[in-house]
Amino acid sequence: MIRLMVPRLRALSGPPGLPHARSAHSFGASAPELPAARVRSIFLDFFREKHGHLLVPSSLVRPRGDPSLLFVNAGMNQFKPIFLGRADPRSAMASYRRVVNSQKCVRAGGKHNDLEDVGQDVYHHTFFEMLGNWSFGDYFKEEACSMAWSLLTEHYGIPADRLYVSYFAGDAESGLLADEETRDIWLDIGVPPGRLLPFGLKENFWEMGDTGPCGPCTEIHYDHVGGRDASKLVNVNSPDVVEIWNLVFMQYNREVDNSLRLLPQFSVDTGMGLERLVSVLQRMRSNYDTDLFTPLLHAIHQRSRVGPYRGRTGAADHGKVDMAYRVVADHVRTLSVCIADGVYPGMSGAELVLRRILRRSVRFCVEVLQAPQGTLATLVPVVVDILGDVYPELHREADVIVDIINENEAQFLSSLQQGTRLIQRALNKMECKHEVFPASVAWSLHRDLGFPLDLVDLMLEERGVHVDQQELDQLMAEHQKLASDEQTGAISQLMLDVVSLAELQRLGVPHTDDGLKYQYTLDQDQYVFPACRATVLALYDGQTLVSEVSEGQRCGVILDQTCFYSEQGGQSHDQGYFTRDGLQDVLYPVEAVVQSGGYVLHQVFVGDILKTGDQVQLCLDQVHRLSCMVKHTATHILNFALREVLGPSVQQRGSHVSADRLRLDFSIKGSLSISQLQQVETCVNNIISSNQSVHSQELPLQTARSIKGLRTIDEVYPDPVRVVSVGVQVPMLLDNQTDRQTSVELCCGTHLLQTGSIQDLVIISEKQIVKGISRIVAVTGLDATRAREAGQALFQDVDSLAARLHGPAPTSLVSAQRLAKEVGVLSDAVDNTPIPQWQRRDLQSRLKALQRSSNTSVRKLEIREAAVRAQAVLEKNGRKELVVDSVDTDSLSVLMKTVNQLSTKSPHSYVMLLAHHRHSGRVLCACQVPKNSPPLLASDWAMAVCHHLGGNAGGSAQVAKGTGSSSDIMGALRWAEEFARKKILYSL
């Protein structure tokens, strides 16, 4: 049972000399409404000017170095290093005591996900601002509560009789008493007992995660109606009584074993949603009726073909028009803030969530609000006007936000039209409208057109049908297996056999023209890929050529021309799909593209019947292709940088390029040093930042081989061969018009036209795969940025831990073991997190030294503790022949050392000690017998006792240890002693 006694702190007034607060707003009938900007500034000024808090800017919505979060979802995220004790002691953060800010938060995806609720009601948001004040080891409960009450009632003028306060009621199972201290503080402030309500762990105990700082919280709730007793409506999700402020008192740490330990420093963490507070102060029942949203709703109405926003929900909201207003208003705020912070719609993680938000808002805009294409982006200036003064990055990035929204909208609307046709076609085929919708069609929408599955469900729900969920789950499982097999190289691809190749030649089928794969251009920093229409020349079923393939089968398709890149030269094949002339709403997904004998074979899943002679349109997955281009050009530059740093003896031994990362194998006697890794990265990123042009040209093979500095690998090249050069045109290399050293290789892959699109490169792994061959794995772009951020975060963690380990030596074994465990946990993080490899090596070296130091401290304290235990046992039992006893320790290592010290002092004694491990309930066992003692081997003794206790043991003839389980340790001791006596007496 934990009982916490906290003394009352100093008076509320804060640092000396600050004036007492005066009311800035009243709920009286004649009082003007506070604009949201003023609500925010009153909060920040109250804590900054009147109570000495430091104003800290909002962090970016993308967490830095925290892979557990997709987005910053609470005000405390950026202060995690302080709460966790990991703040760099040399950083400004380490000096924080009182802090205030307004934090940009996104709750969409991950543990806190409000995306599906947005629009359904009038108070959920994907983006919101969290007002918060923090105390790190400064003030605590009394001052936090008093400040909050003063701000709400005196400065904002909220009537006290509209407010209800909840506090922690305690939890017997966790050994937590009710937070009577907080209750008494509120009573002293003047909150009536009837408005002071106790709640349990779920409502009033806040935890950062499964482990870490936590504590009781007290929440302030507001009654929109007033003039009544609304206590029964608190915490029941009533729209009339809403929580507006949560004050968390960080005083415990949740351990791995789920126990609670008092923190060495108590902290306060508060959070109050600006949107909800503004609705209270502007006397609105809906957040969307405040000036944070009304300009947006007005702008949406001006651009739509529906009536004005009326605030309806549920069945009253005919056609979900008001829901659409709320969705679009909320989502354009989220899109603007995220893009301004560098999170762009993409294919994974937070980027995928943002892509989903954009597509959801576009659909409501176009289909429900009947607004023209481009409407969403026209709302961005309104968002900038509302939020730009406090978040200036919105002004800076406004044009970028507009461009990205417009580009993604255009792409999605094209997919949406095709998806709508596909759904309607499938519905027309269904005999009964109440049938379940084919899962294969729903999966095709998701996989090939990028439709979120929940959007598919919504579109089907509007048509009164639902998807076959069981079949859909099966398709998803198959897809995951295929993806897994592809990663392990186990996927089976169709390959033309020698008979089929001969048959193609006999039939006079021309080789595939795949020149379009190189014919892309760069227009205002955007890559433009050519359209491709082709004729089906041949179909291959895996065994023979056929003239027709039925729906639902897989086959190989040979076309007269293609824009798809086939897997070769270490680069992954392109992805995408076909559509057939006259049947544009049926997709033929391309699962693989391979080249054989001059023919490009597209492995295709047939969405409807396909025949030779059919005309098809090829739809390239441009995002995937561009990602491969980025990685391939980066691989060439990396290859060049390795030779620049390590010398001409370095030879490429293989590479692989995919959309997410690149791999390069090269010859080297040993691994690269930290300095060499840094030099290679610097060389690569200098070329990237200089945005050099990438040139390519086909040349006769013999001519190409004459180029000075040409990089080749041991493989058969075509003739003519493609030469790819960075920064220098190929003719200049041929004519020796330059002495400049550059990357120039023979390569059939697809490349960027300028190096700047790579943005950044980080080597995240480098190791010898066989003697003399090393493998580098690297990431680019946003993945590289994240790797650097994660590396910096781990660097700060190691620095913080080193500072504690190099400080005063731990005085207790528990504290020393805790430090040693932290070193182990941090070592695992450094080993397994994608960070710069040079930094990983440096941190690993430092952590090994810290591990040795912490292990030494643990060992010394274990020896000291064992000496105390051994002396106590010796005084109790003397130096008799058989010593069987229990000691108080949770450490098997201490137990072994205690046994060893007893045997050293009494070398002729048979010694066994048991200990009851408090946390796990296990019984620890250790024993040692005299040298050359045939009657009783230590291993036999420990094994017998631990088996008796339902456990196991092991060791040598002289020393052994093990574990078991028993609540009757005295009984276990008697059994162990009796077993030993029988063995010893029997031998006599």
Side-chain angles (χ1 to χ4, degrees):
M1 180 77 69
I2 299 175
R3 182 171 180 83
L4 182 65
M5 300 298 292
V6 180
R8 291 295 174 91
L9 304 179
R10 57 187 175 278
L12 166 67
S13 57
L18 291 177
H20 189 271
R22 299 180 67 182
S23 179
H25 175 62
S26 167
F27 267 53
S30 61
E33 292 179 357
L34 279 177
R38 182 70 182 131
V39 173
R40 186 193 297 111
S41 65
I42 287 173
F43 181 92
L44 300 177
D45 291 346
F46 174 82
F47 286 101
R48 185 165 56 95
E49 297 175 2
K50 299 185 181 302
H51 296 288
H53 287 62
L54 175 69
L55 177 60
V56 175
S58 169
S59 67
L60 302 179
V61 293
R62 187 181 67 208
R64 293 183 176 178
D66 190 348
S68 67
L69 293 174
L70 290 175
F71 298 99
V72 167
N73 58 23
M76 56 76 60
N77 287 166
Q78 69 166 306
F79 304 117
K80 271 189 177 183
I82 302 179
F83 290 125
L84 297 171
R86 297 174 182 168
D88 187 335
R90 297 167 298 183
S91 68
M93 183 176 284
S95 66
Y96 290 171
R97 291 296 175 266
R98 296 180 174 208
V99 167
V100 64
N101 84 341
S102 180
Q103 172 65 49
K104 297 176 291 186
C105 298
V106 174
R107 289 188 176 175
K111 180 179 178 182
H112 298 286
N113 185 2
D114 290 339
L115 180 56
E116 300 304 326
D117 296 319
V118 170
Q120 304 277 1
D121 54 38
V122 296
Y123 49 84
H124 272 101
H125 306 289
T126 51
F127 165 76
F128 65 97
E129 294 181 70
M130 183 75 87
L131 302 170
N133 60 290
W134 287 267
S135 163
F136 306 113
D138 191 339
Y139 60 82
F140 201 45
K141 296 180 180 180
E142 183 173 6
E143 288 179 278
C145 294
S146 298
M147 290 176 191
W149 195 258
S150 172
L151 177 61
L152 293 178
T153 60
E154 297 174 23
H155 293 260
Y156 286 135
I158 298 176
D161 61 6
R162 291 279 188 106
L163 298 177
Y164 294 79
V165 179
S166 64
Y167 68 95
F168 182 49
D171 184 75
E173 187 176 343
S174 303
L176 290 167
L177 298 175
D179 190 1
E180 298 288 350
E181 182 190 12
T182 297
R183 180 179 183 276
D184 291 344
I185 290 170
W186 286 121
L187 289 172
D188 290 347
I189 287 172
V191 178
R195 295 176 181 269
L196 196 51
L197 312 170
F199 288 92
L201 283 172
K202 180 181 177 182
E203 296 85 1
N204 280 86
F205 195 87
W206 190 92
E207 306 208 32
M208 184 183 294
D210 294 335
T211 61
C214 57
C217 62
T218 181
E219 297 174 338
I220 303 173
H221 302 255
Y222 174 78
D223 178 16
H224 278 287
V225 177
R228 59 177 181 167
D229 180 4
S231 58
K232 292 184 178 179
L233 297 178
V234 172
N235 280 335
V236 296
N237 292 323
S238 168
D240 294 334
V241 180
V242 295
E243 172 206 336
I244 56 173
W245 206 347
N246 186 13
L247 284 62
V248 180
F249 305 126
M250 299 277 208
Q251 57 192 80
Y252 302 114
N253 192 70
R254 178 72 69 179
E255 302 292 313
V256 175
D257 62 4
N258 206 41
S259 64
L260 292 170
R261 211 164 34 89
L262 285 176
L263 289 169
Q265 171 181 285
F266 292 176
S267 299
V268 173
D269 163 19
T270 84
M272 177 160 56
L274 174 68
E275 291 75 8
R276 192 170 290 184
L277 176 63
V278 170
S279 72
V280 168
L281 296 177
Q282 294 182 1
R283 296 186 287 282
M284 297 295 178
R285 301 292 292 276
S286 163
N287 295 355
Y288 292 90
D289 291 334
T290 68
D291 64 341
L292 286 168
F293 289 93
T294 49
L296 275 169
L297 297 172
H298 177 66
I300 294 168
H301 177 233
Q302 288 182 318
R303 293 158 175 78
S304 68
R305 297 187 184 93
V306 296
Y309 177 70
R310 295 173 59 186
R312 298 164 300 186
T313 59
D317 182 16
H318 303 296
K320 298 186 177 179
V321 170
D322 289 342
M323 176 181 177
Y325 268 105
R326 290 187 290 269
V327 167
V328 173
D330 170 88
H331 287 9
V332 74
R333 284 169 28 112
T334 305
L335 290 164
S336 299
V337 168
C338 288
I339 294 170
D341 277 358
V343 183
Y344 297 172
M347 301 301 291
S348 64
E351 288 78 13
L352 181 59
V353 173
L354 201 63
R355 181 173 181 248
R356 182 181 172 195
I357 290 171
L358 188 145
R359 292 186 163 201
R360 188 171 188 253
S361 52
V362 167
R363 181 169 180 267
F364 275 103
C365 233
V366 172
E367 293 194 356
V368 182
L369 297 173
Q370 302 172 38
Q373 182 175 339
T375 292
L376 195 62
T378 67
L379 301 174
V380 171
V382 185
V383 176
V384 174
D385 285 343
I386 297 171
L387 299 175
D389 288 344
V390 67
Y391 303 119
E393 61 273 13
L394 287 167
H395 284 291
R396 272 196 321 269
E397 303 295 327
D399 291 342
V400 174
I401 298 167
V402 168
D403 290 344
I404 289 175
I405 289 177
N406 277 331
E407 290 166 12
N408 280 270
E409 180 183 37
Q411 185 180 27
F412 175 56
L413 286 176
S414 174
S415 299
L416 187 63
Q417 292 171 359
Q418 189 166 3
T420 303
R421 291 197 303 269
L422 188 58
I423 287 176
Q424 194 57 52
R425 181 175 180 273
L427 288 171
N428 292 339
K429 281 186 173 182
M430 292 167 56
E431 296 180 2
C432 174
K433 290 186 177 179
H434 299 293
E435 289 182 35
V436 291
F437 190 80
S440 58
V441 179
W443 179 243
S444 178
L445 286 166
H446 175 68
R447 178 190 57 194
D448 304 313
L449 292 179
F451 274 51
L453 287 172
D454 67 307
L455 176 56
V456 178
D457 288 338
L458 188 62
M459 295 172 73
L460 292 177
E461 182 184 329
E462 293 169 354
R463 292 162 172 81
V465 296
H466 65 277
V467 73
D468 185 334
Q469 191 61 47
Q470 185 174 355
E471 184 185 353
L472 183 60
D473 290 342
Q474 184 178 348
L475 288 171
M476 291 173 67
E478 289 175 2
H479 174 75
Q480 290 171 353
K481 184 178 185 304
L482 280 172
S484 176
D485 288 344
E486 190 168 15
Q487 287 179 353
T488 60
I491 189 169
S492 83
Q493 295 181 343
L494 292 176
M495 292 293 293
L496 289 165
D497 58 27
V498 65
V499 175
S500 299
L501 282 168
E503 182 67 3
L504 287 168
Q505 293 168 5
R506 187 188 69 78
L507 294 171
V509 177
H511 291 161
T512 311
D513 176 9
D514 62 349
L516 282 174
K517 67 187 180 186
Y518 297 129
Q519 294 180 25
Y520 45 86
T521 58
L522 193 55
D523 183 12
Q524 295 182 348
D525 295 328
Q526 295 295 316
Y527 281 87
V528 180
F529 296 89
C532 182
R533 191 167 180 271
T535 303
V536 177
L537 300 183
L539 298 170
Y540 179 67
D541 67 2
Q543 296 179 327
T544 185
L545 298 177
V546 295
S547 60
E548 180 179 311
V549 179
S550 302
E551 178 180 350
Q553 295 184 337
R554 283 183 171 83
C555 73
V557 181
I558 296 174
L559 307 171
D560 61 334
Q561 66 170 349
T562 183
C563 61
F564 279 60
Y565 182 85
S566 55
E567 181 140 8
Q568 55 185 316
Q571 179 176 326
S572 298
H573 62 78
D574 279 338
Q575 297 179 359
Y577 57 89
F578 298 167
T579 58
R580 199 184 86 198
D581 279 12
L583 204 63
Q584 283 82 6
D585 54 348
V586 175
L587 307 182
Y588 296 76
V590 176
E591 299 174 337
V593 187
V594 295
Q595 194 173 70
S596 182
Y599 298 101
V600 175
L601 191 72
H602 306 78
Q603 182 171 312
V604 170
F605 180 84
V606 178
D608 202 321
I609 190 170
L610 189 64
K611 302 176 182 178
T612 55
D614 282 345
Q615 302 293 306
V616 295
Q617 187 75 31
L618 279 64
C619 301
L620 177 70
D621 184 335
Q622 298 180 9
V623 173
H624 180 271
R625 160 67 82 84
L626 184 56
S627 294
C628 289
M629 289 162 57
V630 165
K631 305 303 184 298
H632 207 147
T633 302
T635 303
H636 281 216
I637 299 171
L638 176 61
N639 197 2
F640 169 76
L642 285 167
R643 178 174 282 195
E644 284 289 287
V645 172
L646 303 175
S649 63
V650 173
Q651 297 295 325
Q652 181 180 339
R653 290 291 180 258
S655 66
H656 188 265
V657 172
S658 63
D660 60 342
R661 59 179 57 190
L662 63 92
R663 188 192 75 213
L664 179 66
D665 299 340
F666 59 100
S667 60
I668 185 174
K669 289 183 179 179
S671 288
L672 274 68
S673 67
I674 290 175
S675 174
Q676 288 170 331
L677 285 166
Q678 290 174 314
Q679 290 176 59
V680 169
E681 273 193 12
T682 299
C683 181
V684 171
N685 284 306
N686 285 341
I687 296 173
I688 292 171
S689 61
S690 62
N691 198 24
Q692 298 181 21
S693 296
V694 181
H695 306 277
S696 61
Q697 183 176 333
E698 278 198 349
L699 295 173
L701 180 58
Q702 197 60 34
T703 303
R705 289 191 184 278
S706 68
I707 295 175
K708 185 179 179 181
L710 181 73
R711 303 300 302 271
T712 62
I713 58 175
D714 187 17
E715 70 174 36
V716 178
Y717 289 97
D719 193 5
V721 67
R722 191 172 182 81
V723 178
V724 177
S725 170
V726 176
V728 180
Q729 294 182 0
V730 176
M732 295 184 67
L733 296 169
L734 282 171
D735 299 334
N736 293 319
Q737 297 179 33
T738 179
D739 293 325
R740 175 180 167 184
Q741 296 295 311
T742 189
S743 164
V744 53
E745 296 189 33
L746 305 182
C747 181
C748 62
T750 58
H751 285 270
L752 297 171
L753 300 179
Q754 291 183 315
T755 62
S757 298
I758 301 170
Q759 298 178 352
D760 191 10
L761 180 139
V762 168
I763 297 170
I764 60 171
S765 173
E766 188 272 328
K767 60 184 177 182
Q768 293 254 307
I769 51 174
V770 295
K771 190 173 177 60
I773 303 289
S774 194
R775 170 170 292 173
I776 278 178
V777 176
V779 292
T780 61
L782 287 175
D783 290 332
T785 301
R786 292 189 187 109
R788 293 191 191 281
E789 290 175 350
Q792 185 60 26
L794 287 171
F795 173 84
Q796 292 174 354
D797 289 345
V798 172
D799 256 9
S800 174
L801 183 57
R804 285 186 285 148
L805 280 167
H806 293 149
T811 56
S812 72
L813 179 57
V814 171
S815 59
Q817 289 171 330
R818 190 184 307 123
L819 282 172
K821 184 178 180 180
E822 285 188 50
V823 176
V825 170
L826 199 48
S827 295
D828 287 342
V830 167
D831 291 345
N832 299 309
T833 304
I835 62 173
Q837 181 67 7
W838 67 264
Q839 193 170 36
R840 189 192 319 277
R841 295 251 177 91
D842 178 59
L843 294 179
Q844 286 171 334
S845 176
R846 293 180 62 191
L847 284 165
K848 283 180 182 177
L850 294 178
Q851 191 76 69
R852 287 193 296 270
S853 174
S854 62
N855 287 346
T856 299
S857 295
V858 169
R859 190 163 53 251
K860 287 180 178 178
L861 289 167
E862 284 179 345
I863 291 171
R864 189 177 74 182
E865 186 171 315
V868 173
R869 302 284 187 275
Q871 185 60 34
V873 172
L874 198 61
E875 289 175 359
K876 176 182 176 182
N877 295 279
R879 289 180 171 81
K880 57 186 182 182
E881 183 183 29
L882 183 60
V883 178
V884 180
D885 207 343
S886 65
V887 296
D888 181 23
T889 182
D890 282 337
S891 169
L892 185 56
S893 179
V894 170
L895 195 66
M896 290 287 292
K897 287 179 172 62
T898 305
V899 166
N900 180 258
Q901 291 192 29
L902 279 170
S903 295
T904 300
K905 293 179 179 179
S906 182
H908 301 295
S909 297
Y910 292 81
V911 180
M912 174 174 280
L913 297 179
L914 303 182
H916 198 275
H917 194 275
R918 288 186 294 270
H919 299 300
S920 67
R922 292 181 304 150
V923 173
L924 310 179
C925 171
C927 66
Q928 188 166 335
V929 300
K931 291 182 179 179
N932 303 317
S933 178
L936 180 59
L937 302 181
S939 55
D940 291 345
W941 194 10
M943 189 76 73
V945 172
C946 291
H947 277 180
H948 175 72
L949 297 174
N952 208 342
S956 65
Q958 190 179 2
V959 181
K961 62 181 178 180
T963 61
S965 181
S966 175
S967 58
D968 182 12
I969 198 165
M970 296 307 296
L973 289 170
R974 288 192 296 270
W975 195 95
E977 184 172 353
E978 185 63 22
F979 177 87
R981 285 194 187 282
K982 287 180 179 178
K983 287 284 186 179
I984 297 169
L985 288 173
Y986 181 77
S987 68
L988 298 175

